[in-house]
């Protein structure tokens, strides 16, 4: 049976890291609309060029752009048995569009909860390997050598939108546009809340338990 996890939560709550682990455990592809958009920006596709101006400001990319990227991706063969969504849907309209393509009874929405102060600290200290994508935190998870990836020797960079003013904008957009999805999914009885600010393994354990107890 098809299984769809939706990771919902503010920027920095760990959707990417949690999603990667869940992908390994459930053997499902992780689909991050942020990553798909950044790939389009890097390759300077038409969609990427349009998306970049919104992303740099921390604003949402228009729904038609994100939706077209997402639908194309979930039609691929590896999504046959389901997938994990990181960063989609991000507003009510996107949620409604998604339901035209997958039925609600296949979905479990995992809400990764964390407060703004924690998120600002995590995001402003986040650095990413330019080559392999490994994520570091300057204080909690620093690389052995300053600015260099432990795993591959690649250079560590800061995402353009991990600058403090942009982080604040992303959080305010989250509170205004994305957090209404919590009520939306609660009413549909598919919302499950876990901590986004705890240990990764605890969070993963909770999600496995939720999955087991909810068919
Ligand atoms: P985060 O969740 O940490 O803010 P993402 O990598 O998910 O970061 O997203 C980065 C940017 O990509 C967002 O600020 C937004 O501009 C754009 N984006 C990603 N997913 C969506 C989406 N579903 N709808 C609109 N914009 C999106
Ligand atoms: Zn690396």
């Amino acid at each position: 049976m098809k299984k769809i996890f939706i990771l919902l939560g503010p920027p920095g709550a760990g959707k990417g890291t949690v999603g990667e682990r869940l992908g390994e455990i459930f053997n499902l592809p992780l689909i991050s609309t942020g990553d798909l958009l950044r790939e389009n920006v890097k390759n300077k596709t038409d969609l990427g060029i349009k998306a970049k101006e919104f992303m740099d400001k921390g604003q949402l990319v228009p729904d038609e752009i994100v939706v077209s990227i997402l639908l194309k991706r979930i039609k691929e063969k590896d999504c046959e048995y389901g997938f994990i969504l990181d960063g989609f849907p991000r507003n009510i309209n996107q949620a409604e569009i998604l339901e035209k393509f997958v039925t609600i009874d296949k979905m479990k929405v995992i809400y990764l909860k964390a407060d703004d102060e924690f998120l600002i600290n995590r995001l402003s200290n986040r650095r990413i390997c330019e080559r392999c994508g490994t994520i570091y935190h300057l204080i909690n998870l620093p690389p052995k050598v300053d600015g260099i990836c432990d795993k591959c020797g690649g250079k560590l960079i800061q995402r353009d939108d991990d600058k403090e003013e942009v982080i604040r904008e992303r959080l305010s957009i989250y509170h205004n546009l994305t957090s209404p999805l919590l009520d939306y999914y609660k009413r549909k009885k598919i919302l499950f809340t876990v901590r986004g600010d705890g240990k990764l393994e605890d969070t993963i354990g909770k999600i496995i338990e939720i999955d087991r107890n909810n068919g």
Side-chain angles (χ1 to χ4, degrees), residues 42 128-134 149 151-157:
K42 199 166 151 193
I128 297 173
C129 172
E130 161 178 77
R131 197 182 296 163
C132 74
T134 298
C149 177
K151 288 193 190 156
C152 78
K155 196 173 128 202
L156 302 187
I157 54 166

Side-chain angles (χ1 to χ4, degrees), residues 93-111:
N93 183 48
Q94 293 181 9
E96 288 172 349
I97 294 173
L98 182 64
E99 279 161 55
K100 295 189 177 140
F101 298 88
V102 280
T103 55
I104 203 104
D105 63 312
K106 309 277 189 287
M107 301 182 193
K108 288 195 181 91
V109 179
I110 307 293
Y111 167 37

Side-chain angles (χ1 to χ4, degrees), residues 9-13 15 32-35 37-38 51-52 54-63 66-67 86-91 94 123 126 159 161-162 166 170-171 173:
K15 301 186 294 292
S32 153
T33 44
D35 284 349
L37 286 165
R38 278 186 289 279
K52 186 172 173 11
F54 297 94
M55 295 172 76
D56 284 349
K57 285 186 271 185
Q59 295 170 353
L60 293 191
V61 171
D63 290 348
V66 185
V67 166
D86 158 12
F88 190 98
R90 248 194 173 77
N91 58 32
Q94 293 181 9
L123 290 173
R126 178 161 79 175
R159 246 169 68 173
D161 57 356
D162 278 348
V166 187
R170 284 158 65 203
L171 282 170
I173 290 192

